[in-house]
């Protein structure tokens, strides 16, 4: 399908609730709304246990939502057709497949199922990452994750979901991986949802951020919009900024939309936003 004429969002979650216990009160996700704009890279941030992996599993149809809808290119993710599945790429936190195979035969086997398998991209990444043709089970966790990434990007998916994909990579490999994601996005308009604890990585490549906290997406904005319109102010005593303009607060620090329009005193200093600080402020509520 030509992505330029596809009207459906690559991923759209609406009112999604999900959990692993039967108790309805014990939900990991609670009324999550998230729609990805085609051709964007969205960094998914959340503290440990916030539900990032659960969100990925529901999005992929690996786990059924208790309430709400999860759609991939307009199709229900739980029962999506094969042509939709072929448009997806996924990297889990840990790779535990094909351990008995060597790297090259594994890539060749998976690649044989796709007419548009990108041999050039896969070969380039293998060379950049200095991957050896060894049994996958004998590889280090970082090298196993590299295999998972190659399997996920080789068929040029329209939607790539990455759950902490770079956590096991060394700094050089992580840099090459992030570069590859940016190039795929630029060359093919690929849509990416990238979960990571490394805010510098998110800030380096993401066009949008989505922050998951308390079972919900509490912030989903274009990163440039946040940098342009949000300022950090420190106020130890009233008057406080208008409540509707505050994106997050932590103690005396407040991240404020359009601080110039908040009627702050002239001596109040407005500082630039640091994504890591903003993330901590939002998730501290």
């Amino acid at each position: 399908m030509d992505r330029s004429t596809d009207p459906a969002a690559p991923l759209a979650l609406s009112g999604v609730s999900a959990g692993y216990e039967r108790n309805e009160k014990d939900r990991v996700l609670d009324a999550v709304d998230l729609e990805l704009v085609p051709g964007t890279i969205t960094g998914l941030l959340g503290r440990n246990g916030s539900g990032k992996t659960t969100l990925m599993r529901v999005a992929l149809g690996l786990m059924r939502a208790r309430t709400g809808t999860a759609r991939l290119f307009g199709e229900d993710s739980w029962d999506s057709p094969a042509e939709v599945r072929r448009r997806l790429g996924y990297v889990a936190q840990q790779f535990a497949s094909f351990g008995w195979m060597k790297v090259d035969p594994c890539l060749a086997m998976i690649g044989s199922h796709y007419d548009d398998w990108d041999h050039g991209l896969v070969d380039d990444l293998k060379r950049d990452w200095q991957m050896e043709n060894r049994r996958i089970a004998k590889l280090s966790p970082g090298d196993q994750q590299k295999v998972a990434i190659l399997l996920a990007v080789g068929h040029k998916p329209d939607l790539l979901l990455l759950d902490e994909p770079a956590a096991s990579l060394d700094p050089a490999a992580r840099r090459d991986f992030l570069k590859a994601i940016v190039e795929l996005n630029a060359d093919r308009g690929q849509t990416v949802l990238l979960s990571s604890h490394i805010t510098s990585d998110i800030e380096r490549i993401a066009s949008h951020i989505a922050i998951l906290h308390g079972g919900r997406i509490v912030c989903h904005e274009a990163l440039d919009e946040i940098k342009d319109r949000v300022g950090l102010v420190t106020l130890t005593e009233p008057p406080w900024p208008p409540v509707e303009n505050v994106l997050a607060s932590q103690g005396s620090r407040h991240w404020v939309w359009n601080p110039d329009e908040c009627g702050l005193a002239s001596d109040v200093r407005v500082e630039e936003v640091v994504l890591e600080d903003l993330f901590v402020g939002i998730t501290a509520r």
Side-chain angles (χ1 to χ4, degrees):
M1 184 182 295
D2 183 358
R3 66 167 62 87
S4 64
T5 61
D6 185 358
L11 172 64
L13 306 180
S14 178
V16 167
S17 299
Y20 296 91
E21 302 293 338
R22 293 184 178 181
N23 187 346
E24 286 296 320
K25 295 182 179 180
D26 189 12
R27 294 177 174 178
V28 179
L29 304 179
D30 185 15
V32 165
D33 294 320
L34 178 65
E35 183 172 321
L36 301 187
V37 177
T40 58
I41 300 176
T42 299
L44 179 63
L45 292 168
R47 296 204 173 199
N48 289 334
S50 62
K52 299 188 299 298
T53 295
T54 302
L55 187 151
M56 292 273 190
R57 290 177 59 82
V58 172
L60 288 161
L62 300 175
M63 180 178 181
R64 195 165 198 169
R66 292 181 181 176
T67 63
T69 60
R71 296 190 175 278
L72 296 164
F73 303 101
E75 301 285 347
D76 189 317
S77 69
W78 181 253
D79 193 28
S80 56
E83 55 266 27
V84 168
R85 296 284 172 183
R86 292 176 68 88
R87 301 176 68 183
L88 306 177
Y90 173 53
V91 178
Q93 291 184 26
Q94 295 181 326
F95 183 63
S97 301
F98 308 112
W100 66 94
M101 299 187 72
K102 289 188 175 181
V103 172
D104 288 349
C106 177
L107 294 171
M109 179 189 71
I110 299 300
S112 67
H113 293 281
Y114 297 95
D115 294 334
D116 55 352
W117 184 261
D118 195 332
H119 294 278
L121 172 66
V122 171
D123 290 344
D124 286 345
L125 288 176
K126 281 174 53 185
R127 182 185 64 252
D128 292 342
W129 289 343
Q130 301 179 346
M131 295 187 63
E132 300 178 9
N133 185 28
R134 299 169 56 203
R135 276 186 57 196
I136 293 173
K138 298 293 185 180
L139 297 176
S140 68
D143 282 347
Q144 289 180 1
Q145 197 70 348
K146 293 175 188 177
V147 176
I149 293 167
L150 293 176
L151 294 175
V153 303
H155 64 290
K156 300 183 291 187
D158 292 334
L159 174 61
L160 187 59
L161 294 103
L162 307 168
D163 189 5
E164 299 279 2
S168 301
L169 301 181
D170 61 64
R174 194 171 80 240
R175 181 192 60 223
D176 291 337
F177 163 67
L178 294 173
K179 177 183 176 184
I181 295 303
V182 171
E183 291 175 349
L184 284 169
N185 173 260
D187 294 343
R188 300 165 183 155
Q190 187 178 61
T191 305
V192 180
L193 181 62
L194 168 65
S195 165
S196 177
H197 288 297
I198 307 172
T199 55
S200 60
D201 285 352
I202 296 293
E203 202 161 14
R204 184 181 303 172
I205 72 168
S207 59
H208 292 67
I209 62 167
I211 297 179
L212 184 61
H213 181 60
R216 300 190 177 192
I217 297 293
V218 295
C219 177
H220 181 207
E221 300 287 345
L223 193 52
D224 285 345
E225 188 81 356
I226 288 179
K227 290 181 177 180
D228 290 342
R229 293 184 52 216
V230 176
L232 170 62
V233 298
T234 301
L235 298 173
T236 57
E237 59 185 39
W240 308 108
V243 172
E244 62 271 17
N245 282 18
V246 177
L247 178 58
S249 293
Q250 186 181 33
S252 61
R253 301 199 302 168
H254 308 274
W255 289 265
V256 183
W257 286 104
N258 302 317
D260 293 340
E261 302 174 8
C262 291
L264 298 171
S266 59
D267 60 345
V268 173
R269 180 182 176 185
V270 179
E271 301 178 53
E272 292 185 357
V273 171
V274 176
L275 180 58
E276 183 172 346
D277 290 344
L278 175 62
F279 167 64
V280 172
I282 287 179
T283 58
R285 290 185 298 178

